[in-house]
Amino acid sequence: MLYPSPLFDVFLFIFFFQPLTPELHYYYIVELSFYWSLMFSQFIDIKRKDFGIMFTHHAVTIMLLTFSYTINATRVGSLVLALHDAVDVVLEAAKLANYCKYQKLCDFFFLMFAIIFLVTRLGVYPLWILYSIIFEMPEMLGGFPAYSIFIVLLLILQVLHCFWSYLIIKAAYKAVSKGKARDDRSDVESSSDEEPTVSHSKNSHSSATTNGTSGANGTNGYLTGGNSLEEH
């Protein structure tokens, strides 16, 4: 019999006191699908300097999701996921502002992203989550083989957090000093950084035609006047 051995306490704590709710189940499924898509899309996306780092992050995250779901340690897994997802909204808002040419708004969102990232990844994650798992969890559950694997994977994430924090601080400094946030990871300049210069003759010609069709109203109901988005 397992009782009253420490193995029974581990079994009782993990599988009895932590039921897997349907909401948590679907949360895991969505997150796992998302990180699998990120891993595969890396090979068709723009190559960046931290390609290996990103690939390592996605692989470690997928292993943590799969492993924590398998042994039903979903409370810790969901907490780590929520902590990492907290900055995604602000980051995507900064990207949208950059694509729309709103540079000041982009810089504002990027600075917010940098603050939230540093607080959550260098503050909350190591001081609360890692501390609880490394020092408090063994007192409650004792040692078991899966525990060591969890520690290694979570520590790898923390190393990646430190690396990205350096890049974010560097980019935030450039945004404050030079007035423009920029992703230093890209090997290829994005279209938002450099706009091609169009000659006056091309502008005058394109103002009268759109997709080969002449007319005051242009094509598909869009006006084709000389004013462009860049002029605003």
Side-chain angles (χ1 to χ4, degrees), residues 18-214:
Q18 296 190 17
L20 180 62
T21 62
E23 295 80 8
L24 193 55
H25 167 76
Y26 289 116
Y27 182 43
Y28 258 72
I29 296 299
V30 171
E31 290 286 348
L32 188 60
S33 303
F34 173 69
Y35 280 105
W36 271 116
S37 66
L38 287 181
M39 176 174 287
F40 287 117
S41 64
Q42 269 195 297
F43 298 96
I44 59 176
D45 199 357
I46 297 175
K47 298 297 181 182
R48 301 184 184 275
K49 297 177 182 179
D50 65 342
F51 176 86
I53 301 295
M54 290 296 296
F55 185 84
T56 303
H57 172 266
H58 299 334
V60 170
T61 304
I62 291 173
M63 285 189 288
L64 277 172
L65 283 168
T66 306
F67 198 56
S68 61
Y69 185 87
T70 303
I71 67 171
N72 202 28
T74 52
R75 289 192 178 184
V76 175
S78 60
L79 186 61
V80 175
L81 284 173
L83 186 69
H84 284 71
D85 292 341
V87 298
D88 287 348
V89 176
V90 184
L91 177 61
E92 297 304 324
K95 290 181 180 180
L96 288 175
N98 182 45
Y99 297 152
C100 295
K101 313 294 183 184
Y102 298 133
Q103 191 59 47
K104 291 184 179 180
L105 185 61
C106 173
D107 294 339
F108 171 75
F109 280 126
F110 178 77
L111 291 177
M112 285 185 59
F113 161 77
I115 294 172
I116 297 174
F117 186 95
L118 296 176
V119 170
T120 55
R121 308 297 176 89
L122 299 184
V124 178
Y125 180 79
L127 298 181
W128 275 273
I129 297 180
L130 281 183
Y131 178 84
S132 296
I133 295 176
I134 295 176
F135 298 103
E136 296 178 354
M137 189 174 177
E139 297 178 359
M140 299 172 58
L141 303 179
F144 56 100
Y147 173 75
S148 301
I149 300 176
F150 266 124
I151 294 299
V152 171
L153 294 176
L154 292 172
L155 288 177
I156 292 176
L157 282 184
Q158 183 58 34
V159 173
L160 298 179
H161 293 166
C162 295
F163 172 76
W164 280 320
S165 297
Y166 163 75
L167 295 181
I168 290 173
I169 293 174
K170 183 178 178 182
Y173 173 78
K174 289 183 179 180
V176 173
S177 60
K178 299 182 180 180
K180 185 175 183 180
R182 179 181 174 184
D183 191 352
D184 291 330
R185 301 174 303 153
S186 299
D187 289 332
V188 180
E189 297 293 338
S190 61
S191 59
S192 61
D193 292 334
E194 293 184 3
E195 291 295 332
T197 304
V198 183
S199 62
H200 177 72
S201 61
K202 283 188 176 182
N203 284 334
S204 60
H205 179 266
S206 61
S207 63
T209 61
T210 303
N211 296 331
T213 305
S214 300

